[in-house]
Amino acid sequence: MAIADRTEFEAAYTATWQRVYRYAWVLTRHREDAEDVASETYRRAYSAWNDGRRPKGEVLPWLLLIARRVVIDRRRRSRLLGWLPLSAVSDVDRADDRSLDRAETWVWFAELCRLLPDRQREAFLLRYQFDLSDEAIGKILGVSPGGVRSLLSRALATLRRRPEMLT
């Protein structure tokens, strides 16, 4: 790998590792498993980057897709996948002054997500926590952009039926 490519990969890692780790943590429920998934994600990404199979667009959706595939591979082997309440993820950001606000946001978001089925929860997380486009979410979840909009629409309809959760 050329030095410029390695520098670009290192910059991508620095810019995305926290989000990839958080996503892995949400999918796996355990810190150690999330660390393993994030590590394997970046190992696979580095290998692909080194082989000239870099993402054509944004790096984050590409990495999240790799992370999701790692989790699916692990789930197929172990048949164990659960969901972590998102409130436990908030300690990733403890280093800055806004961590309390972020923690409260994660607690509120976790309460909202408890009402949603798994696919809707994942689409909701990718849209409203990671601010990804329909196309990027579709690539990660393996559905069309219209399918993403449908998942999000159903999720929002579920949440609207429980207005007390939105305050």
Side-chain angles (χ1 to χ4, degrees):
M1 175 180 275
I3 292 175
D5 287 342
R6 184 177 303 141
T7 303
E8 287 180 49
F9 185 82
E10 289 173 2
Y13 171 82
T14 301
T16 61
W17 76 266
Q18 190 174 34
R19 293 174 127 191
V20 170
Y21 176 73
R22 181 177 287 157
Y23 183 67
W25 197 356
V26 168
L27 294 178
T28 63
R29 296 185 60 182
H30 300 286
R31 180 183 302 262
E32 296 82 14
D33 291 341
E35 290 170 354
D36 292 344
V37 168
S39 175
E40 178 64 13
T41 297
Y42 283 103
R43 188 199 63 73
R44 289 183 186 186
Y46 185 78
S47 177
W49 198 287
N50 198 23
D51 292 342
R53 295 178 286 125
R54 301 170 58 166
K56 292 177 179 46
E58 295 180 57
V59 174
L60 181 62
W62 179 67
L63 290 168
L64 294 177
L65 176 60
I66 294 171
R68 188 168 198 275
R69 288 177 177 166
V70 170
V71 170
I72 289 170
D73 291 347
R74 290 169 58 94
R75 179 179 55 178
R76 285 182 180 149
R77 278 185 239 121
S78 67
R79 295 289 178 203
L80 298 173
L81 174 72
W83 289 89
L84 174 69
L86 298 178
S87 59
V89 180
S90 63
D91 71 345
V92 173
D93 295 322
R94 294 275 182 222
D96 67 44
D97 295 336
R98 296 175 294 172
S99 64
L100 181 59
D101 290 339
R102 289 181 181 178
E104 289 174 4
T105 300
W106 276 101
V107 169
W108 174 77
F109 194 80
E111 290 301 312
L112 288 179
C113 286
R114 286 186 332 150
L115 302 172
L116 302 175
D118 291 346
R119 294 277 287 179
Q120 290 176 16
R121 179 184 305 137
E122 192 171 358
F124 200 74
L125 171 78
L126 292 169
R127 166 56 54 79
Y128 296 107
Q129 284 296 318
F130 294 130
D131 197 30
L132 297 179
S133 67
D134 292 341
E135 292 77 18
I137 296 169
K139 287 179 184 175
I140 293 167
L141 297 180
V143 298
S144 68
V148 170
R149 288 188 292 277
S150 178
L151 283 169
L152 291 170
S153 176
R154 282 187 245 132
L156 291 171
T158 299
L159 295 175
R160 284 186 190 114
R161 288 191 294 271
R162 299 284 305 272
E164 71 276 8
M165 295 298 294
L166 299 177
T167 57

Coordinates of all heavy atoms in Angstrom, one line a residue, residues 51-102:
D51 N -6.2 -3.7 -1.6 CA -6.4 -4.4 -2.9 C -7.1 -3.5 -4.0 O -7.4 -4.0 -5.1 CB -7.3 -5.6 -2.7 CG -6.7 -6.7 -1.9 OD1 -5.4 -6.7 -1.8 OD2 -7.4 -7.6 -1.4
G52 N -7.3 -2.2 -3.7 CA -7.9 -1.3 -4.6 C -9.4 -1.3 -4.7 O -10.0 -0.8 -5.6
R53 N -10.0 -2.0 -3.7 CA -11.5 -2.0 -3.6 C -12.0 -1.0 -2.6 O -12.7 -1.3 -1.7 CB -11.9 -3.4 -3.3 CG -11.6 -4.4 -4.3 CD -12.0 -5.8 -4.0 NE -11.1 -6.4 -3.0 CZ -11.5 -6.9 -1.8 NH1 -12.8 -6.9 -1.5 NH2 -10.6 -7.3 -0.9
R54 N -11.6 0.3 -2.8 CA -12.0 1.3 -1.9 C -13.5 1.7 -2.2 O -14.0 1.4 -3.2 CB -11.1 2.6 -2.1 CG -9.7 2.3 -1.9 CD -8.8 3.4 -2.4 NE -9.2 4.7 -1.7 CZ -8.5 5.8 -1.7 NH1 -7.4 5.8 -2.4 NH2 -8.9 6.8 -1.1
P55 N -14.1 2.4 -1.2 CA -15.5 2.8 -1.5 C -15.5 3.9 -2.6 O -14.6 4.7 -2.6 CB -15.9 3.4 -0.1 CG -14.7 3.8 0.6 CD -13.6 2.8 0.1
K56 N -16.5 3.9 -3.4 CA -16.6 4.9 -4.5 C -17.2 6.2 -3.9 O -17.0 7.2 -4.5 CB -17.4 4.3 -5.6 CG -16.7 3.2 -6.3 CD -17.6 2.6 -7.4 CE -16.9 1.5 -8.2 NZ -16.3 0.5 -7.4
G57 N -18.0 6.1 -2.9 CA -18.6 7.2 -2.3 C -18.1 7.5 -0.9 O -16.9 7.5 -0.6
E58 N -19.1 7.7 0.0 CA -18.7 7.9 1.4 C -18.1 6.7 2.1 O -18.5 5.6 1.8 CB -20.0 8.3 2.2 CG -20.6 9.6 1.8 CD -21.8 10.0 2.6 OE1 -21.7 10.0 3.8 OE2 -22.9 10.1 2.0
V59 N -17.2 6.9 3.0 CA -16.5 5.8 3.7 C -17.4 5.2 4.8 O -17.4 4.0 4.9 CB -15.2 6.3 4.3 CG1 -14.5 5.2 5.1 CG2 -14.3 6.7 3.2
L60 N -18.1 6.0 5.5 CA -18.9 5.5 6.7 C -19.9 4.5 6.3 O -20.0 3.4 6.9 CB -19.5 6.7 7.5 CG -20.3 6.2 8.7 CD1 -19.4 5.5 9.7 CD2 -21.1 7.4 9.3
P61 N -20.8 4.7 5.3 CA -21.7 3.6 5.0 C -21.1 2.3 4.5 O -21.5 1.2 4.8 CB -22.6 4.2 3.8 CG -22.4 5.7 4.0 CD -21.1 5.9 4.6
W62 N -19.9 2.4 3.8 CA -19.2 1.3 3.4 C -18.7 0.5 4.6 O -18.8 -0.7 4.7 CB -18.0 1.8 2.5 CG -17.1 0.7 2.0 CD1 -17.4 -0.3 1.1 CD2 -15.7 0.5 2.4 NE1 -16.2 -1.0 0.9 CE2 -15.2 -0.5 1.6 CE3 -14.8 1.2 3.2 CZ2 -13.9 -1.0 1.7 CZ3 -13.5 0.8 3.3 CH2 -13.1 -0.3 2.6
L63 N -18.2 1.2 5.6 CA -17.7 0.6 6.8 C -18.8 0.0 7.6 O -18.7 -1.1 8.2 CB -16.9 1.6 7.7 CG -15.5 2.0 7.1 CD1 -15.0 3.2 7.9 CD2 -14.6 0.8 7.1
L64 N -20.0 0.7 7.7 CA -21.1 0.1 8.5 C -21.6 -1.1 7.8 O -22.1 -2.1 8.5 CB -22.2 1.2 8.6 CG -21.8 2.4 9.5 CD1 -23.0 3.4 9.5 CD2 -21.4 2.0 10.9
L65 N -21.6 -1.2 6.5 CA -22.0 -2.4 5.7 C -21.1 -3.5 6.1 O -21.5 -4.7 6.3 CB -22.0 -2.1 4.2 CG -22.3 -3.3 3.4 CD1 -23.7 -3.9 3.7 CD2 -22.3 -3.0 1.9
I66 N -19.8 -3.3 6.1 CA -18.8 -4.3 6.5 C -19.1 -4.8 7.9 O -19.1 -6.0 8.2 CB -17.4 -3.8 6.3 CG1 -17.0 -3.5 4.8 CG2 -16.4 -4.8 6.9 CD1 -15.7 -2.8 4.6
A67 N -19.3 -3.8 8.8 CA -19.6 -4.2 10.2 C -20.8 -5.1 10.3 O -20.9 -6.0 11.0 CB -19.7 -2.9 11.1
R68 N -21.9 -4.7 9.6 CA -23.1 -5.5 9.6 C -22.9 -6.9 9.1 O -23.4 -7.9 9.6 CB -24.2 -4.8 8.7 CG -25.5 -5.4 8.8 CD -26.6 -4.5 8.2 NE -27.9 -4.8 8.6 CZ -28.6 -5.8 8.1 NH1 -28.2 -6.5 7.1 NH2 -29.8 -6.0 8.5
R69 N -22.1 -7.0 8.0 CA -21.7 -8.3 7.5 C -20.9 -9.1 8.5 O -21.1 -10.4 8.6 CB -21.0 -8.2 6.2 CG -21.9 -7.7 5.1 CD -21.2 -7.5 3.8 NE -22.1 -7.1 2.7 CZ -21.7 -6.6 1.6 NH1 -20.4 -6.5 1.3 NH2 -22.6 -6.3 0.7
V70 N -20.0 -8.5 9.2 CA -19.2 -9.2 10.3 C -20.2 -9.7 11.3 O -20.1 -10.9 11.8 CB -18.2 -8.3 10.9 CG1 -17.5 -8.9 12.1 CG2 -17.1 -7.9 9.8
V71 N -21.1 -8.9 11.8 CA -22.1 -9.3 12.8 C -22.9 -10.5 12.3 O -23.2 -11.5 13.0 CB -23.0 -8.1 13.2 CG1 -24.1 -8.6 14.1 CG2 -22.2 -7.1 14.0
I72 N -23.4 -10.4 11.0 CA -24.2 -11.5 10.5 C -23.4 -12.8 10.4 O -23.9 -13.8 10.8 CB -24.7 -11.1 9.1 CG1 -25.8 -10.0 9.2 CG2 -25.3 -12.3 8.3 CD1 -26.2 -9.4 7.9
D73 N -22.1 -12.7 10.0 CA -21.2 -13.8 10.0 C -21.1 -14.4 11.4 O -21.2 -15.7 11.6 CB -19.8 -13.5 9.5 CG -19.8 -13.2 8.0 OD1 -20.8 -13.4 7.3 OD2 -18.8 -12.6 7.5
R74 N -20.9 -13.6 12.4 CA -20.8 -14.1 13.7 C -22.1 -14.7 14.2 O -22.1 -15.7 14.9 CB -20.3 -12.9 14.7 CG -18.9 -12.5 14.4 CD -18.6 -11.2 15.2 NE -18.8 -11.3 16.6 CZ -17.9 -11.6 17.5 NH1 -16.6 -11.8 17.1 NH2 -18.1 -11.6 18.8
R75 N -23.2 -14.1 13.9 CA -24.5 -14.6 14.3 C -24.8 -15.9 13.7 O -25.3 -16.8 14.3 CB -25.6 -13.6 13.9 CG -27.0 -14.1 14.3 CD -28.1 -13.1 13.9 NE -28.0 -12.8 12.5 CZ -28.8 -12.0 11.9 NH1 -29.8 -11.4 12.6 NH2 -28.7 -11.8 10.6
R76 N -24.4 -16.1 12.4 CA -24.6 -17.4 11.8 C -23.8 -18.5 12.5 O -24.3 -19.6 12.6 CB -24.2 -17.3 10.3 CG -25.3 -16.6 9.5 CD -24.9 -16.5 8.0 NE -25.9 -15.8 7.3 CZ -25.7 -15.1 6.2 NH1 -24.4 -15.0 5.7 NH2 -26.7 -14.5 5.6
R77 N -22.6 -18.1 12.9 CA -21.8 -19.1 13.7 C -22.4 -19.4 15.0 O -22.4 -20.5 15.5 CB -20.4 -18.6 13.7 CG -19.6 -18.9 12.5 CD -18.1 -18.5 12.6 NE -17.8 -17.6 11.6 CZ -17.4 -16.4 11.8 NH1 -17.1 -15.9 13.0 NH2 -17.2 -15.5 10.8
S78 N -22.8 -18.4 15.7 CA -23.2 -18.6 17.1 C -24.7 -18.5 17.3 O -25.2 -18.9 18.4 CB -22.6 -17.5 18.0 OG -23.1 -16.2 17.7
R79 N -25.4 -18.0 16.4 CA -26.9 -17.9 16.5 C -27.3 -17.0 17.6 O -28.4 -17.2 18.2 CB -27.6 -19.3 16.5 CG -27.4 -20.1 15.3 CD -28.3 -19.5 14.2 NE -28.1 -20.3 13.0 CZ -28.3 -19.8 11.8 NH1 -28.7 -18.6 11.7 NH2 -28.1 -20.6 10.8
L80 N -26.5 -16.1 18.0 CA -26.9 -15.2 19.1 C -26.7 -13.8 18.7 O -25.6 -13.4 18.4 CB -25.9 -15.5 20.4 CG -26.0 -16.8 21.0 CD1 -24.9 -17.0 22.1 CD2 -27.4 -17.1 21.6
L81 N -27.8 -13.1 18.6 CA -27.7 -11.6 18.3 C -28.8 -11.0 19.2 O -29.9 -11.4 19.2 CB -27.9 -11.3 16.9 CG -28.0 -9.8 16.5 CD1 -26.6 -9.2 16.6 CD2 -28.5 -9.6 15.1
G82 N -28.4 -10.0 19.9 CA -29.4 -9.2 20.7 C -29.2 -7.7 20.5 O -28.3 -7.3 19.8
W83 N -30.0 -7.0 21.1 CA -29.9 -5.5 21.0 C -29.6 -4.9 22.4 O -30.2 -5.3 23.3 CB -31.2 -5.0 20.5 CG -31.3 -5.3 19.1 CD1 -31.9 -6.4 18.5 CD2 -30.9 -4.6 17.9 NE1 -31.9 -6.4 17.2 CE2 -31.2 -5.3 16.8 CE3 -30.2 -3.4 17.8 CZ2 -30.9 -4.9 15.5 CZ3 -29.9 -3.0 16.5 CH2 -30.3 -3.7 15.4
L84 N -28.6 -4.1 22.4 CA -28.3 -3.4 23.6 C -29.1 -2.1 23.7 O -29.3 -1.4 22.8 CB -26.8 -2.9 23.5 CG -26.2 -2.1 24.6 CD1 -26.2 -2.9 25.9 CD2 -24.9 -1.6 24.2
P85 N -29.7 -1.9 24.9 CA -30.3 -0.6 25.1 C -29.3 0.5 24.8 O -28.2 0.5 25.3 CB -30.7 -0.6 26.6 CG -30.7 -2.0 27.0 CD -29.7 -2.7 26.1
L86 N -29.7 1.5 24.0 CA -28.8 2.5 23.5 C -28.2 3.4 24.6 O -27.2 4.0 24.5 CB -29.4 3.3 22.4 CG -29.8 2.5 21.2 CD1 -30.5 3.5 20.2 CD2 -28.7 1.9 20.5
S87 N -28.9 3.4 25.8 CA -28.4 4.3 26.9 C -27.0 3.8 27.3 O -26.2 4.7 27.8 CB -29.4 4.2 28.0 OG -29.5 2.9 28.5
A88 N -26.7 2.6 27.2 CA -25.4 2.1 27.6 C -24.2 2.5 26.7 O -23.1 2.5 27.1 CB -25.4 0.6 27.8
V89 N -24.6 3.0 25.5 CA -23.6 3.3 24.5 C -23.0 4.7 24.8 O -22.0 5.1 24.4 CB -24.2 3.3 23.1 CG1 -23.2 3.7 22.0 CG2 -24.7 1.9 22.8
S90 N -23.7 5.5 25.6 CA -23.4 6.9 25.7 C -22.0 7.2 26.4 O -21.4 8.2 26.2 CB -24.4 7.6 26.6 OG -24.4 7.1 27.9
D91 N -21.4 6.2 27.1 CA -20.2 6.5 27.7 C -19.0 6.5 26.7 O -17.9 6.8 27.1 CB -19.9 5.5 28.8 CG -19.6 4.1 28.4 OD1 -19.8 3.8 27.2 OD2 -19.1 3.3 29.1
V92 N -19.2 6.2 25.5 CA -18.2 6.3 24.4 C -17.7 7.8 24.3 O -16.6 8.1 24.1 CB -18.7 5.8 23.1 CG1 -17.7 6.1 22.0 CG2 -19.0 4.4 23.2
D93 N -18.7 8.8 24.6 CA -18.4 10.2 24.4 C -18.0 10.9 25.6 O -18.2 12.1 25.7 CB -19.6 10.8 23.7 CG -19.9 10.3 22.3 OD1 -18.9 10.0 21.6 OD2 -21.1 10.2 22.0
R94 N -17.6 10.3 26.7 CA -17.4 10.9 28.0 C -16.3 12.0 28.0 O -16.3 12.8 28.9 CB -17.1 9.9 29.1 CG -18.2 8.9 29.3 CD -19.1 9.5 30.3 NE -20.1 8.6 30.6 CZ -21.4 8.9 30.8 NH1 -21.8 10.1 30.6 NH2 -22.3 7.9 31.0
A95 N -15.5 12.0 27.0 CA -14.3 12.9 27.0 C -14.7 14.4 26.8 O -13.9 15.2 27.2 CB -13.3 12.5 25.9
D96 N -15.8 14.8 26.3 CA -16.1 16.2 26.1 C -17.2 16.7 27.0 O -17.8 15.9 27.7 CB -16.4 16.5 24.6 CG -17.7 15.9 24.1 OD1 -18.7 16.0 24.9 OD2 -17.7 15.3 23.0
D97 N -17.3 18.0 27.0 CA -18.3 18.7 27.9 C -19.7 18.4 27.6 O -20.6 18.6 28.5 CB -18.0 20.2 27.9 CG -16.6 20.5 28.5 OD1 -16.1 19.7 29.2 OD2 -16.1 21.6 28.1
R98 N -20.0 18.0 26.4 CA -21.4 17.8 26.1 C -21.9 16.3 26.4 O -23.0 15.9 25.9 CB -21.6 18.1 24.6 CG -21.4 19.6 24.3 CD -21.4 19.8 22.9 NE -20.3 19.1 22.2 CZ -20.1 19.0 20.9 NH1 -21.0 19.6 20.1 NH2 -19.1 18.3 20.5
S99 N -21.1 15.5 27.1 CA -21.4 14.1 27.2 C -22.7 13.9 28.0 O -23.5 13.0 27.7 CB -20.3 13.4 27.9 OG -20.1 13.9 29.2
L100 N -23.1 14.8 28.9 CA -24.3 14.6 29.7 C -25.5 14.8 28.7 O -26.5 14.0 28.8 CB -24.4 15.6 30.8 CG -25.7 15.5 31.7 CD1 -25.8 14.1 32.3 CD2 -25.7 16.5 32.8
D101 N -25.5 15.8 27.9 CA -26.5 16.0 26.9 C -26.6 14.8 26.0 O -27.7 14.3 25.6 CB -26.3 17.3 26.1 CG -26.5 18.5 26.9 OD1 -27.2 18.5 27.9 OD2 -25.9 19.6 26.5
R102 N -25.5 14.3 25.5 CA -25.5 13.1 24.7 C -26.0 11.9 25.4 O -26.8 11.1 24.8 CB -24.1 12.9 24.2 CG -23.6 13.9 23.2 CD -22.2 13.5 22.7 NE -21.8 14.5 21.7 CZ -20.6 14.5 21.2 NH1 -19.8 13.6 21.4 NH2 -20.2 15.5 20.3

